[in-house]
Amino acid sequence: MIGRDLLSIEDLDRSEIERLLDTAEVKKVPTLRGRTIINLFFEPSTRTRASFEIAGKRLSADVINFSPSASSMKKSESILDTAKTLEAMDADAVIVRHEVSGVPKRIAEVLEAPVINAGDGAHEHPTQALLDCFTVRQAKGKIDGLTVTIVGDILHSRVARSNILAFRKLGAEVRIAAPPPMIPPAVESTFGVKAYTSLREALEGADVVMALRIQNERLEGAFFPSVREYSATYGIDRAKLQYAKEDAIVMHPGPINRGVELSHDLADHKPSVILDQVRNGVALRMAVLYLFAGRAPRERNGEGA
Ligand code: CP
């Protein structure tokens, strides 16, 4: 039974993840007509915000894009008061992105409407992980038994955390590769991944290579000597991709620092599936809205229809 909110992949079991992916495969009718979805983004976004908006509109919901910088938050209204005010206008779901981990959860504690985490600090980005799993399943026909190598700024990445959890729940082996300061402490025992500082070793036998963005906005102090050195050692290009399986696919959640974590060539051409990820983001978020915002309050609170 899927819960009221989607805050973390940790809250979903394998069958719930599979239900979300299966629902994203199905063509949907205008099931959210008369419902209101609020996009509450406190941090910039292109893909997530636009795809939630398109997803809501394709399901015939009314979608409101709330802009904190043009709101009464400029007059010191708190985040929680803002969220409660918007909910009082009959919101059926609130999509939250914030630069601080835990803000979507805090908002969920004071709202009755479902809250969907659209990325909170370095904590989680569950819908990104779900659309990534969907994209791998589409490309490879399965996830169970695959080897997924995630390369880059694991320490600061909510995408890495959500993807590690999701791919492992679906039966993949997950490896991470990064400079030592970007590997979270105790990541192997906590998350069940294998951590590598050698990119070559991490890529050997990989079915999926996921490059992550160097998150300049979250970096404090020196994590690698220079961007040039990072790119030479960990940047994915066709030469390094040779270490992975011949039919490996390349993923990136975007936005890309071209020429840093990913070569221009791979950013634009196969075996990259980056634009498939973007496209699938709409279908997957339609499934999320359908399953979380389309239920009656009693049903979403686990009381039956
Ligand atoms: N992948 C992702 O979250 O992209 P945006 O920041 O553009 O939403």
Side-chain angles (χ1 to χ4, degrees):
M1 175 57 166
I2 285 180
R4 187 193 63 174
D5 308 300
L6 177 53
L7 300 174
S8 163
I9 294 293
E10 253 167 333
D11 301 337
L12 301 173
D13 63 24
R14 181 176 180 144
S15 68
E16 289 166 339
I17 293 174
E18 287 173 342
R19 183 173 172 209
L20 279 154
L21 304 193
D22 292 345
T23 304
E25 305 268 11
V26 180
K27 190 169 164 50
K28 285 158 222 70
V29 286
T31 40
L32 297 186
R33 180 162 287 144
R35 308 229 176 197
T36 301
I37 311 292
I38 297 192
N39 264 337
L40 191 52
F41 278 58
F42 297 95
E43 194 188 67
S45 166
T46 298
R47 294 150 200 78
T48 312
R49 187 157 94 150
S51 60
F52 266 117
E53 181 174 356
I54 293 167
K57 287 180 172 167
R58 287 204 181 145
L59 292 168
S60 296
D62 296 318
V63 183
I64 310 301
N65 286 312
F66 173 82
S67 169
S69 62
S71 76
S72 286
M73 292 187 73
K74 283 284 173 200
K75 296 180 269 184
S76 302
E77 189 163 33
S78 72
I79 288 179
L80 296 185
D81 281 341
T82 301
K84 284 193 276 190
T85 299
L86 294 168
E87 184 187 42
M89 298 176 202
D90 285 338
D92 293 288
V94 180
I95 320 297
V96 181
R97 170 172 286 193
H98 201 283
E99 66 270 23
V100 175
S101 299
V103 169
K105 183 170 189 292
R106 186 71 194 97
I107 290 175
E109 284 164 2
V110 300
L111 297 193
E112 287 181 13
V115 173
I116 312 298
N117 181 1
D120 61 328
H123 173 229
E124 278 225 37
H125 194 350
T127 59
Q128 178 70 45
L130 292 167
L131 76 87
D132 289 342
C133 289
F134 184 85
T135 304
V136 169
R137 198 172 77 164
Q138 186 179 63
K140 296 286 180 188
K142 63 171 189 174
I143 292 175
D144 226 332
L146 296 183
T147 298
V148 178
T149 299
I150 305 177
V151 184
D153 186 2
I154 312 294
L155 183 68
H156 299 96
S157 176
R158 57 195 178 205
V159 173
R161 187 185 170 95
S162 290
N163 264 317
I164 289 168
L165 292 166
F167 278 108
R168 288 204 68 243
K169 284 187 183 203
L170 294 177
E173 175 194 333
V174 181
R175 303 174 183 170
I176 58 170
M182 288 182 160
I183 296 177
V187 69
E188 293 191 342
S189 56
T190 308
F191 288 99
V193 298
K194 182 94 179 79
Y196 296 80
T197 52
S198 159
L199 181 64
R200 181 176 188 149
E201 286 174 21
L203 291 183
E204 271 166 14
D207 300 281
V208 176
V209 181
M210 183 182 296
L212 296 180
R213 185 170 68 90
I214 294 300
Q215 305 201 19
N216 295 311
E217 74 276 23
R218 294 191 222 283
L219 296 186
E220 287 170 22
F223 284 84
F224 44 81
S226 69
V227 169
R228 182 195 286 256
E229 191 166 319
Y230 178 85
S231 178
T233 313
Y234 293 100
I236 306 296
D237 57 18
R238 282 197 194 269
K240 296 197 194 85
L241 193 59
Q242 298 287 324
Y243 303 139
K245 277 192 181 158
E246 206 176 325
D247 62 351
I249 57 170
V250 174
M251 307 180 77
H252 193 301
I256 303 169
N257 296 306
R258 283 170 175 262
V260 179
E261 67 263 3
L262 195 61
S263 67
H264 287 266
D265 168 40
L266 278 180
D268 293 325
H269 299 106
K270 286 194 179 312
S272 138
V273 293
I274 294 168
L275 290 181
D276 293 334
Q277 290 172 264
V278 175
R279 198 170 297 110
N280 289 336
V282 176
L284 190 283
R285 288 174 176 126
M286 285 175 76
V288 166
L289 293 178
Y290 173 78
L291 290 174
F292 285 84
R295 292 179 293 174
R298 276 171 55 79
E299 198 185 343
R300 71 169 88 107
N301 291 328
E303 296 165 26

